[in-house]
Structure formats: C-alpha cells, structure tokens
C-alpha cells in the first residue's frame, strides 16, 4: 500500500471513530509507519505496530515539549505539565505529584472507593434503566479525584464540561468552544488557588500551592497546568475504562457470566479491557527533535509522531488471538497507559477504580442488558480518548 493510497481520509471519519480496528489491521500489515495529514493541517506519522510503538514511546529523540516545537504562540496552561515536557522539567513536575499516587496510598483507598461505588448504585435501586456513563462511570472517578485534589465535588459538572471541551478540541467541530471553556477553567482554578493560599489543607492542591510559593519547584503556569491535567486525566481514563469495559462484557455475555461466577478474575479482566478497547486511543503528540531514520522512513526534524495505542494492543505479532476478548488472558504488556518516562501516573488508581466499579456493577445487576444497537452508539470525537458518549442499559 503506497503512502498516497493511505493518505486518503480513512482516519478521522465517523466510520473510523465507530470501529478503527479494521483500518489499524490493514496498516499494521501494509504500512505500519503511516504518513498522514492530520485534521489541524500538518503532515505527520502514526505508528501502528506494537514493537515500533514501544520504541517511539521510549525514544527521547521524540520530544513532548509543545513550546520547544511551536514557540511561545502555543504557550497555554495546558502544556505546562509533565505530559508535555521533556527532562529535566518532566522529572521535577512528575516528582511533585507522584507521592500522591503511589500504589500503597492508592490501595489504601480501596474501601472508600468501594463505598462510593455502592452509594452510586444504591441510588439506582429503584430504577429499571440508566445511562451507564452519566450515572456511574463518570461520577465515581470524578468524586475520587476531587477528594484527592481538594476541589468541591459540587463543581463536578463544570469539570466534565471543561474536560470534554479540552479533550475533544482536536475535533474541528469542537474547536470553537475550546477557548471559552479554557478561560472558564483557568479563572476557576485561579480563584480556588487564592482560597487555598488563605487556608491550605492536606489535599494535593494545597501541597502544590506551597511548592509554587517556595519559588523553586513550580511556576504559576505550571501550577495551573499540573492541576488542570490532574483534574482532566484523573477521571477521563477511568470513565472510558469503565464504559468500554462494561460494553465489552455486554457484547460477550459468556465472558460476563464467567466474571460473575469468578469475581477474582477482575484483575485479568481489567487488563484485557485495557488491551481490547483501551480508553486512550492515541498517545499525545511527540515531535522529532532531529532528523530520524526510523525503520526505513525518514522522519524530518519537527514532524509530528503519534502512537496508535489501541492498534498496538491488537497487534497479532505480540498478542495471540488479538481480536478476541478473553478475560482469562495472562497479564499482557499492553500499552494502554503508555510506556517509558511518560507512563500514566494515575494507572494504579484507574485500575483500582475500574476493578471495583465493574465487579460491583455486575454483582448488583447481573442481568443488565444493553438498550441500543452497539453499532449505533456514538463514540466521542477527537484524537485522544476512546469512549462512548452514552451507554443506555436495562438494569433488571
């Protein structure tokens, strides 16, 4: 398959968003390092095979620094965090928040997260139906991250609006509202930081504000950027892990029955959900910091490179029967949370929330059924997350 042929708009269409996996399979076989015109008008590369993906994710020649690539014109708060920085800034920024997300501290939250899941489902006892995303998959992680950060839970709907707008900004139809919602988000955070400075607590934002005021570890822009990232990433991944995971169980009733009978399989089940239809479809952007010869392709300095994580996780060269959803699969080295120094900081929390949410849901509502044609569900636009906007289910 030639570059000209594969540059046709197979990507970024409604059909692709609904089910990208046939396109990925074709590219892995014929054009795994694929040059494409992105929606914003730049040519770049999409990496679709597993081994190539790991190599890119770990290669420090591919820079994450947006300002270094595009200059001060791209200087907005959403790039002043560890996700869009290179060492040594990356190490400094990640180190400030890492202590709040250690596996030991996250495991210590298990009983509290279980209580949150139970409370949410208790509120549904009198209902026959629900929208899984709005009534369960979204509230659970936003409650948890709000408590960790110390922001008011009553503002969760604002966080969702702002987060969706920012995440979906890669979709042309949503770009117009980005600036409005970004300004609202920034104004909110600045007002909240002012309150915290007056009366700091034990929460993570208070710790970061203190670090910022020390003048050595965080700038004002970095404080905004890190907290914005934590609010957005702190719930987006888990919302889509729960949504995509439950959807896979609904589409594979034999796997759901197995999990109901053997709830101890939940650890393997969540890993398989992350691999099979992961919540983050593409890695965030990287740019070649120099001219790079990469497996027969010349990637010019400054060119955009993105890893198709969900494609890599269906690579038959790495995963046997890769298109099969199997919750008994031995733990796999999937790339749902990335690889290398930018491995998702919140992965232990997302895994724990997913395990508790999904096991509790199917235990409480074992006969739950999807109330829609799976092919007509609307998937979110954009080039980062992979998730369904709504999943209507019959509970009883």
């Amino acid at each position: 398959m030639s570059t000209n042929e594969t540059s046709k708009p197979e990507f970024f269409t409604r059909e692709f968003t609904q089910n990208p996996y046939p396109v990925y399979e074709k590219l892995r076989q014929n054009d795994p390092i694929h040059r494409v015109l992105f929606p914003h008008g730049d040519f770049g590369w999409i990496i679709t095979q597993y081994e190539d993906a790991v190599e890119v994710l770990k290669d420090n020649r591919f820079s994450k620094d947006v300002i270094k690539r595009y200059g001060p014109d791209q200087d907005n708060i959403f790039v002043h965090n560890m996700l869009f920085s290179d060492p040594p800034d990356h190490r400094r920024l990640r180190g400030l928040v890492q202590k709040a997300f250690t596996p030991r501290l996250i495991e210590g939250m298990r009983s509290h997260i279980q209580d949150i899941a139970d409370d949410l489902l208790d509120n549904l006892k009198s209902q026959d139906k629900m929208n899984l995303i709005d009534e369960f998959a979204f509230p659970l992680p936003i409650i948890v991250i709000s408590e960790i950060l110390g922001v008011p839970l009553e503002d969760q709907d604002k966080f969702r609006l702002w987060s969706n707008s920012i995440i979906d900004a890669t979709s042309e139809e949503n770009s117009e509202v980005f600036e409005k919602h970004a300004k609202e988000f920034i104004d909110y955070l600045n007002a909240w930081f002012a309150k915290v400075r007056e009366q700091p607590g034990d929460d993570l934002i208070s710790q970061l504000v203190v670090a910022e005021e020390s003048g050595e570890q965080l700038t004002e822009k970095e404080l905004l950027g890190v907290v914005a990232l934590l609010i957005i990433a702190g719930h987006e991944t888990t919302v889509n892990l729960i949504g995509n995971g439950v959807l896979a169980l609904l589409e594979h009733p034999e796997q759901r029955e197995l999990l109901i009978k053997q709830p101890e399989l939940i650890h393997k089940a969540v890993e398989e959900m992350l691999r099979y239809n992961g919540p983050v479809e593409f890695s965030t952007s990287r740019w070649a910091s120099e001219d790079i010869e990469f497996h027969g392709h010349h990637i010019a300095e400054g060119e955009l490179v993105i890893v198709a994580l969900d494609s890599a996780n269906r690579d038959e060269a790495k995963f046997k029967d890769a298109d099969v959803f199997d919750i008994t699969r031995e733990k796999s080295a999937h790339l749902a949370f990335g690889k290398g120094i930018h491995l998702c900081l919140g992965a232990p929390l997302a895994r724990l929330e997913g395990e508790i949410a999904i096991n509790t849901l199917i235990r409480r509502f074992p006969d739950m059924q999807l109330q829609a044609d799976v092919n007509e569900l609307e998937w979110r636009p954009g080039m980062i997350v992979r998730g369904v906007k709504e999943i209507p289910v019959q509970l009883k």
Side-chain angles (χ1 to χ4, degrees), residues 299-361:
I299 301 178
E301 179 181 356
E303 282 195 315
L304 176 63
V305 178
I306 287 178
V307 172
L309 300 172
D310 280 348
S311 174
N313 288 337
R314 293 280 192 105
D315 189 343
E316 286 278 358
K318 178 67 177 179
F319 304 100
K320 184 180 178 183
D321 300 324
D323 288 328
V324 174
F325 179 64
D326 177 10
I327 66 168
T328 67
R329 188 185 296 268
E330 289 304 312
K331 185 175 180 180
S332 59
H334 62 72
L335 302 179
F337 292 118
K339 196 79 172 174
I341 65 170
H342 290 281
L343 180 74
C344 176
L345 185 69
L349 179 59
R351 283 185 164 105
L352 181 61
E353 290 173 327
E355 289 176 9
I356 291 171
I358 292 167
N359 246 7
T360 306
L361 179 66

Side-chain angles (χ1 to χ4, degrees), residues 53-69:
V54 170
E55 193 171 338
V56 168
L57 293 172
K58 296 175 74 172
D59 191 334
N60 59 14
R61 294 177 299 170
F62 295 106
S63 169
K64 298 277 287 179
D65 194 319
V66 177
I67 299 172
K68 193 185 296 181
R69 170 63 182 91

Side-chain angles (χ1 to χ4, degrees), residues 3 27 33 61-62 89 103 148 165 185 212 233 235 245 252 283 289 299 319 325 329 332 343 374:
T3 299
L27 288 174
I33 302 166
R61 294 177 299 170
F62 295 106
D89 283 339
I148 290 173
S165 179
F185 198 9
E212 183 256 343
H235 77 275
H252 300 85
S283 70
S289 61
I299 301 178
F319 304 100
F325 179 64
R329 188 185 296 268
S332 59
L343 180 74
V374 69

Side-chain angles (χ1 to χ4, degrees), residues 193-208:
F193 295 159
K195 291 180 182 178
V196 170
R197 287 188 176 98
E198 291 289 323
Q199 193 171 2
D202 296 328
D203 54 83
L204 183 53
I205 286 182
S206 294
Q207 295 173 29
L208 293 173

Side-chain angles (χ1 to χ4, degrees), residues 31-305:
D31 190 17
I33 302 166
H34 170 69
R35 193 161 190 262
V36 66
L37 179 64
F38 288 99
H40 51 68
D42 286 349
F43 275 98
W45 302 85
I46 290 180
I47 310 298
T48 58
Q49 286 183 350
Y50 182 92
E51 294 298 339
D52 293 341
V54 170
E55 193 171 338
V56 168
L57 293 172
K58 296 175 74 172
D59 191 334
N60 59 14
R61 294 177 299 170
F62 295 106
S63 169
K64 298 277 287 179
D65 194 319
V66 177
I67 299 172
K68 193 185 296 181
R69 170 63 182 91
Y70 289 110
D73 289 347
Q74 291 297 315
D75 188 3
N76 67 71
I77 69 144
F78 301 108
V79 302
H80 287 274
N81 56 55
M82 48 278 192
L83 189 59
F84 294 106
S85 61
D86 298 329
D89 283 339
H90 171 269
R91 190 178 306 110
R92 172 176 58 88
L93 294 169
R94 187 179 175 105
L96 284 168
V97 298
Q98 193 163 288
K99 56 183 175 290
F101 293 93
T102 63
R104 183 181 62 81
L105 285 176
I106 297 304
E107 183 59 32
M109 299 176 66
R110 178 180 290 274
S111 62
H112 182 53
I113 296 173
Q114 183 66 63
D115 289 342
I116 294 170
D118 287 333
D119 288 344
L120 288 169
L121 294 179
D122 283 344
N123 293 332
L124 300 171
K125 282 192 298 189
S126 61
Q127 296 181 206
D128 292 331
K129 300 178 181 179
M130 76 161 168
N131 174 359
L132 176 72
I133 301 298
D134 287 353
E135 296 179 75
F136 188 59
F138 167 72
L140 187 147
I142 200 67
I143 290 170
V144 174
I145 196 61
S146 295
E147 291 180 349
I148 290 173
L149 292 172
V151 291
L153 185 55
E154 58 264 27
D155 292 328
Q156 62 177 273
D157 289 336
K158 294 178 184 177
F159 298 149
R160 187 180 190 187
L161 175 67
W162 296 330
S163 173
N164 285 350
S165 179
I166 292 160
I167 287 286
D168 296 344
T170 49
S171 169
E172 194 172 313
E173 63 195 66
N174 291 293
S175 59
E176 294 179 5
V177 297
F178 170 80
E179 287 189 19
K180 174 180 179 290
H181 289 158
K183 183 180 185 304
E184 291 173 358
F185 198 9
I186 293 166
D187 290 346
Y188 175 93
L189 290 178
N190 278 326
W192 187 251
F193 295 159
K195 291 180 182 178
V196 170
R197 287 188 176 98
E198 291 289 323
Q199 193 171 2
D202 296 328
D203 54 83
L204 183 53
I205 286 182
S206 294
Q207 295 173 29
L208 293 173
V209 164
V210 170
E212 183 256 343
E213 289 184 328
S214 73
E216 295 180 357
Q217 296 179 298
L218 275 178
T219 66
E220 185 71 20
K221 286 181 178 179
E222 287 170 346
L223 177 63
L224 281 164
V226 168
V227 173
L229 174 65
L230 290 171
I231 290 174
I232 295 169
H235 77 275
E236 280 283 0
T237 300
T238 309
V239 171
N240 298 306
L241 165 57
I242 296 169
N244 296 359
V246 172
L247 188 60
L249 292 176
L250 293 171
E251 290 186 90
H252 300 85
E254 77 290 347
Q255 296 292 299
R256 179 175 56 167
E257 288 303 313
L258 181 59
L259 187 55
I260 290 171
K261 290 176 182 175
Q262 299 183 51
E264 68 275 9
L265 285 174
I266 188 61
H267 307 293
K268 287 183 177 180
V270 164
E271 296 307 308
E272 179 67 346
M273 292 165 185
L274 287 163
R275 184 202 68 82
Y276 179 75
N277 199 9
V280 181
E281 184 162 1
F282 293 100
S283 70
T284 47
S285 302
R286 285 166 169 77
W287 295 270
S289 61
E290 58 188 70
D291 287 350
I292 297 171
E293 297 302 320
F294 190 79
H295 297 288
H297 296 267
H298 177 76
I299 301 178
E301 179 181 356
E303 282 195 315
L304 176 63
V305 178

